[in-house]
Structure formats: C-alpha cells, structure tokens
C-alpha cells in the first residue's frame, strides 16, 4: 500500500489540452471594455541627456488618451533590492539605444504610432561606453557615469574576489596545468511569446496588471513601490506564458508604463512588444571574457582552479550581482578541486541590459572548465571520462566554498553515457571529421537565500477540499510551460491517494494564490513541490479523522490510495474518498491545508558546524561559509549531468553538425518523466544554439543590434536538431519532493563543452570563442595546418 501511483509516471501536462486546442488565454488574447493600445518611444542614442520633451502635439491628436514621460513615475525599481536602477521611462537621460523616453495610449496602434512621431525630444548626446575593456578604465574628462547610483568607480558594476586553499602552491607543484582565454557572445531567450502587459485601475483605486511574467510576486512589489501603494492594492494576474527561459524573470519598465498610462487615461491599457522590442529589451546571457587555469597532480587529481571573468551587464543591474558570483561559485561542482581563486567583474555599458537566462551564470564558465579538463586529461594521457569519474564529488559533501551537496549522481551519469555511446571503442577511432566529446554540469535547485531577506516562506501551497470531492490547489508558482502546474497536481494527488482528474490548480492570481517567489533558478519543483506535499499531508489528516469516526477504527491505521481510505490492518474496512471527505467536513466546512517551504538551516542563530574542506559533511549541516558572498550559489540540492555528443565537422566548409547526443541527468527523482525528458531535449537544442549559431551582434562601434529578428538571429532549426537519447538518473535527494531535484536549467550546461570537445576529437582543434561558426572552424584548421 505504499507504492507510488501518480508521481514517477509520465503524465500529460494538465494544461496541455488547452494549449494545443487554442483554448489557453495568453495576455494578448485578453480584451477589456475601453482597452487602449500603449506604445513606447525609444531612444535613437546609446547615451544622451534629455533636455526637453514636447508632448502637446501628441496629446492633442484625436484618439490619444494619455501621454507619459519619465517624470510621471520617477521612482526607481529593480529585481534585486540592492541595485534598483530602472525607471518606467528615462527621467534625466537614456542609457542604451532603445531606452524608453515617452509613451502614449490611444484607440488604435496606428494612432499610437502617429502620436509617437509627434513627440519632440531634445537631447545632448553623451559619449557611450560600449566595450568591456573600455568600461574598466577610469572615466575620461567630460564622460558621464552611465548609472550614477552604482557605487563602484567609473563603469564598474560589481567586483567579486574569492579564494580558497593555496592556489599558487597548487599550480607550482602541479604535474599538469593548462590555461585558456575564452570569449562568449551574448545570446538572448527568443521565446515564442513576446512581452505583453495589460493594466487597469478600478474605481476604488486598485491596480490590476495582467502580464506574461515569471515572477508575479516581484512584479507586485515593484508596482507597489513605483506607484507608492500598499501591496494589497496591487493585483497581478499571470495568464498563460509562451516561454520565458529567464527573459521574463524581472519586473520590467513596460509593465510600469502600462500602469502609468492606465492611471492617466482612466482606461485599461495593453502594451504588446514587436519582435525587435523583445530583442532590444534583452536581459539575455552576458557577453563574457573568461581567463581560466586548471591544474592536476601526476595521478590526475585536480588541485586548483583559477577564474577571471569579465562580464558585460549592459545598461541596468538586473540579476547582475548574482551573475558576478555564479560565474565562479557554480564551478565548484561536480568535481573536487581543493584550491580555488575567482575574480569576477561585471561592467555597465550603453547596450541593452543583460540578465538571467537558462543556466544563469554557469554556462560560460562551464564550457571553459570542461574544455580545460579535457586538455589536462590529454596532457596526462588519461581518458576524459576517467578523469571526471576520478574527481567527482560523493554524496553528502561540502565544497571548498561551502556548497552542501546532498544527493550526487554524477558518476552514474558519466558511466551510463560512456557505455551507451560506445565511448571506449569509438572515441579517437572515428574517421577524420567525426568525433565524440563529453561535458558535465552542476546546477542549483533553487537559491537557498531569497532575494528579499524577509521573514516569509519561499513557497506556499493552499489546498481546499469541499463536498463535491474536488481538490483545489492554490499557489503563485508560475507555470511558464515547464510543467509546474502538473508537478503540483501530481504531488497533491499522490498525497491524497486520488486521481489527477480530481485536482484543479490555480496559480495565476496574486489575490487567491499564496506567496511563491516565481519561476527562476530552477526552484519550483523543489520548493513548491515540497510545499504541496506538506499541504496534502495536513488535508489527509483531516480526511483520515473522518474515516476514523465513521468506522470506529484508530486514525493511525488509515492510508489513502486508489480513491479510497483504507484501514491497513484490515483492508476490508475501507471508505470511498468522497464519503470520508464528507464526514470530515460535516462539523467544520470545507477542508483546508497549507504547506510551505523554506530552505533548511539558514537561520543565522543556528550553531555552525565545523566545515571540513573537501571532506564529507554532516547531513543537515548549516549551508554556506563566512566569506563575503557565501550565500551565492547556495541551494538545498544540486543537479548533475553528463552528455556525450557525436560531432561531424566538414573540413571544407567548417560546418559543424551534431547527429546524436547521449544525455544523462541526475534529477533526483522524475516526478513526471516525460516532462523531464522534454526539458533535457529543449536544453540540448538551446545550448546547441549558443555553441554553434546564436550571437547578439552589434553594429561595429555602436550599441545598435544588427540582428534583432528571428531571420538573422540564428536559432538551430528543427531540421538540424540531433537525436537525443535521454537517461534519467535518480539519486533520490533526501530533501527533495519524493526525492526530486531540478531539471529545467542544469541540463543546458553540458551540451556546449560536449560539442567543443567533440570538435577536437573530430579534427584536432580547440575552440575558445563561441559561437563556433564555420569561419572560426576554418581559421582554426588553417592555423593547425
């Protein structure tokens, strides 16, 4: 009577039918009485002082109901409380080409666009900062700081220095050491659905915003700040979301603008981005220059890692403080490296903002590390799989920078793809132009430390069971296509012993859904899943109490499964789920249960355990060290991955193809295997894009994006997608919901280095600059010749 009936089974997504039949309602599908069209006037300059804005002609145009400028909403906001550097519209100056200057609300889009053309803006163009190396230098005389509120000098946004062990000694004593300079172009999310927002103020002065967002709670907070409202006067509704990948995990200026225009016009306002606006808004992966060195002893044990990352943050802070830490901190797994030195510098430039993108902060450093690890193996005459297995962490370990590893299936991941791909027989023995490469990954299952250091849960789930026998689940965990609503339904159904057809999930409305911090950092399955289980346990106790009253048997003997409440010592005594529910609610009304999740052992008053660097930790040890930035990268659990890619390189054209990938991911426990497999396949496709084709290209010498459309921004077409053989490794995390860990972001990390290392096996060249375009391949082959 204890076998799992719902979790662990491949289950169609609970919202799948609505999506494939067209019933799903996205933000742009919503219409309201008197709905106006909002449009934003964008800056043609990278950096300019606003001297005056004349809006009278636009205001007088027939069909225009409101015009707004930055001075109408000057309060700054941002996703991180320590770097609030954004405003609804530019107040004193614009800081990138495309920055919002003014906005209008009109009866039609045509009228709105005409009104924008009538707005007269007088600016004084300022010298822009466009290159990372330029941003590191002191400001020249007469050059204005991009963001005066940033505390670092010049255009520096954040600097991180962390060191553990004796790196100098490790490199001095190493049998093998390698180093490399890596360059990564910026890439963006390119979701199917662009940004869309509707705002409406009620007659009572309450603001409602419908928005395609990953973070309803953070949006609610920012709207309350900008419009100086108590939070309960703001309602955020998240309709269906057509993809996010991190690109909708900030509160955005256009959401503030829609609310501002709605307030000024007294009517609801919708803002829908075109594709170019989506590219301009960006918040994609940071362009990065990474210098890295790695060392090992004669036996192949890794001894030291040194990283120097220079990161282009664009014009705003966004998640940049976290990015600055993650480029180093998340390199400390899945391998044991006792000495570690990291310097991370994020600079501000007059370009579209960078932010969080799938695998946030870990992708670029992972490519560099896995590449150098292959070079160490080559230098020592070791097999790349063997050196990874030798240095892999064990379960219940503590990294030098204080990351607590609970479950750890990295060895199983490596072994399964090694066998399935025929690695031992095929690598190094394929014809010229064909090769195999391996890459591994390590990623968080949610951030242990919330963005806002307040006493509140990281996730909460409320359940209600009424006379009809239906189970209603309320949560603010944002379903953005990853299947989180289905995970919640499965966890609750399993806990109550009922089928999924009884479960109704409501996660869209901040009025009816309890606090959850949103869909980012691969946190939802782990945190909301645990909250759902705990809520179901509390409701189950009430149902069992009803069964005990009806049967006269002790409540401790009952179990819920198969739509029944069964007395385990004598299974002939059983009630239907509905009968037990009705008895339970007879003298109390509807049954309610709530569960919450808070990352364990983060209470600063708890006694700290002795940290044994590189040794096994006590299970349940307090997470994190005492060094500056110790909270960055902390997670209740970490996923592990290992991929092997089969690569074809055409030496005549430089074109790289990937016909097959063997992908193993340690997800702890696959609550919904088909959804986990889909996440892995999607990560492979997205990572291939960054590895081979995708690049945020700027006009030489300016901040203008040259390829702000889906024709010129080269996403891997479906015809070039590889066959992906997926292996789900289940290490059963002791703290995860039913043992589960993340599977939405970590699976992206290994594919990039697997391709890069495969290219080396195929044609003998190491690629340091991404994307690996045909011209770069040909240049490397020419240099090799």
């Amino acid at each position: 009577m204890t076998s799992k009936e719902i979790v662990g089974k491949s289950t169609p997504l609970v919202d799948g039918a609505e999506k494939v039949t067209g019933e799903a309602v996205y933000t742009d599908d919503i219409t309201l009485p008197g709905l106006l069209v909002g449009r934003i006037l964008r800056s043609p300059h990278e950096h300019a002082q606003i001297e005056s804005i004349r809006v009278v002609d636009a205001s007088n145009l027939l069909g225009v109901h409101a015009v707004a400028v930055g001075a109408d909403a000057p309060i700054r906001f941002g996703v991180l409380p320590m770097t609030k550097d954004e405003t609804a519209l530019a107040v004193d100056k614009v800081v990138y080409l495309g920055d919002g200057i003014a906005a209008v609300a009109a009866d039609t889009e045509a009228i709105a666009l005409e009104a924008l053309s009538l707005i007269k803006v007088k600016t004084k163009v300022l010298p822009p900062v466009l290159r990372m190396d330029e941003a590191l230098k002191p400001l020249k005389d007469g050059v204005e700081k991009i963001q005066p509120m940033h505390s670092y000098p010049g255009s520096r946004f954040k600097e991180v220095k962390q060191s553990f062990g004796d790196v100098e000694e490790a490199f001095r004593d190493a049998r093998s050491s390698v180093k490399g300079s890596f360059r990564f172009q910026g890439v963006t999310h390119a979701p199917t659905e662009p940004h869309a927002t509707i705002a409406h103020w009620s007659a009572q002065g309450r603001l409602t915003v419908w928005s395609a967002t990953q973070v309803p709670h953070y949006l609610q907070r920012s709207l309350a700040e900008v419009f100086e409202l108590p939070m309960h006067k703001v309602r955020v509704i998240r309709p269906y979301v057509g993809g996010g990948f991190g690109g909708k995990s900030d509160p955005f200026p256009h959401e503030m603008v829609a609310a501002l225009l709605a307030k000024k016009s007294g009517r609801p306002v919708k803002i829908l981005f075109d594709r170019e606006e989506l590219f301009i808004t960006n918040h994609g992966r940071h362009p990065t220059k990474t210098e890295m060195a790695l060392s090992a002893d004669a036996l192949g044990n890794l001894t030291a890692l040194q990283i120097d990352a220079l990161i282009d943050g664009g014009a705003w802070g966004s998640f940049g403080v976290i990015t600055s830490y993650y480029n180093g901190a998340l390199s400390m797994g899945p391998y044991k490296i006792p000495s570690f030195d990291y310097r991370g510098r994020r600079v501000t430039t007059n370009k579209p903002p960078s932010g969080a993108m799938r695998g946030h902060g870990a992708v670029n450093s992972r490519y560099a590390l896995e590449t150098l690890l292959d070079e160490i193996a080559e230098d020592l005459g070791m097999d790349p799989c063997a050196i990874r297995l030798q240095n892999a962490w064990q379960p219940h370990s503590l990294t030098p920078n204080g990351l607590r590893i609970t479950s750890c299936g990295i060895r199983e991941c490596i072994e399964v793809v090694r066998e399935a791909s025929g690695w031992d027989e095929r690598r190094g023995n394929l014809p010229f132009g064909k090769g195999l490469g391996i890459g591994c990954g390590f990623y968080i299952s949610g951030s242990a430390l919330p963005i806002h250091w307040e006493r509140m849960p990281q996730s909460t789930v409320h359940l209600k069971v009424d006379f009809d026998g239906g189970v209603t689940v309320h949560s603010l965990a944002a379903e953005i296509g990853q299947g989180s609503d289905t995970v919640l339904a499965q966890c609750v159904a399993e806990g109550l012993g009922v089928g999924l057809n009884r479960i109704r999930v409501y996660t869209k409305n901040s009025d009816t859904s309890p606090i959850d911090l949103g869909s980012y950092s691969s946190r939802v399955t782990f945190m909301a899943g645990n909250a759902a289980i705990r809520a179901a346990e509390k409701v189950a106790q009430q149902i069992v109490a009803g069964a005990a009253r009806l049967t006269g048997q002790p409540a401790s003997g009952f179990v819920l499964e198969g739509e029944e409440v069964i007395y385990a010592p004598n299974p002939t005594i059983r009630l239907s789920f509905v009968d037990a529910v009705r008895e339970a609610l007879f003298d109390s009304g509807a049954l309610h249960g709530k569960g919450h999740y808070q990352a364990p052992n983060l209470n600063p008053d708890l006694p700290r355990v002795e940290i044994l660097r590189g040794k096994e930790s006590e299970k349940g040890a307090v997470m994190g060290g005492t060094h500056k930035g110790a909270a960055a990268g902390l997670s209740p659990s970490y996923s592990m991955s290992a991929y092997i890619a089969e690569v074809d390189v055409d030496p005549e054209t430089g074109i790289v193809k990937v016909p097959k990938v063997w992908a193993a991911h340690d997800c702890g426990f696959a609550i919904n295997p088909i959804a986990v497999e889909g996440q892995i396949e999607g990560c492979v496709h997205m990572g291939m894009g960054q590895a081979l084709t995708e690049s945020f290209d700027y006009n030489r010498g300016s901040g203008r994006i040259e390829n702000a459309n889906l024709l010129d921004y080269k996403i891997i077409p479906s015809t070039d997608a590889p066959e992906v053989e997926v292996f789900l490794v289940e290490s059963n995390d002791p703290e995860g919901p039913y043992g589960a860990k993340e599977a939405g972001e970590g699976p992206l990390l290994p594919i990039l280095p697997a391709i890069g290392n495969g290219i080396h096996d195929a044609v003998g060249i190491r690629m340091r600059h991404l994307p690996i375009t045909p011209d770069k391949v040909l240049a490397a082959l020419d240099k090799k010749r």
Side-chain angles (χ1 to χ4, degrees), residues 246-269:
K248 297 171 182 173
S249 57
D250 289 67
F252 284 95
H254 70 272
E255 293 164 323
M256 311 300 139
V257 170
L260 177 59
L261 291 171
K263 187 175 185 180
K264 297 191 74 169
S265 67
R267 289 169 61 176
V269 174

Side-chain angles (χ1 to χ4, degrees), residues 162 307 323-332 340 342 361 365 401:
Q162 294 182 334
I307 304 174
T323 315
S324 303
Y325 282 104
Y326 276 12
N327 269 262
L330 295 183
S331 299
M332 293 312 309
F340 174 55
Y342 171 62
S365 293
N401 59 335

Side-chain angles (χ1 to χ4, degrees), residues 16 44 108 131 143 354 436 458 483 493 545 700 742:
T108 68
R131 300 192 312 274
V143 176
S354 301
L436 294 177
Q458 288 167 287
R700 192 174 184 85
E742 78 88 29

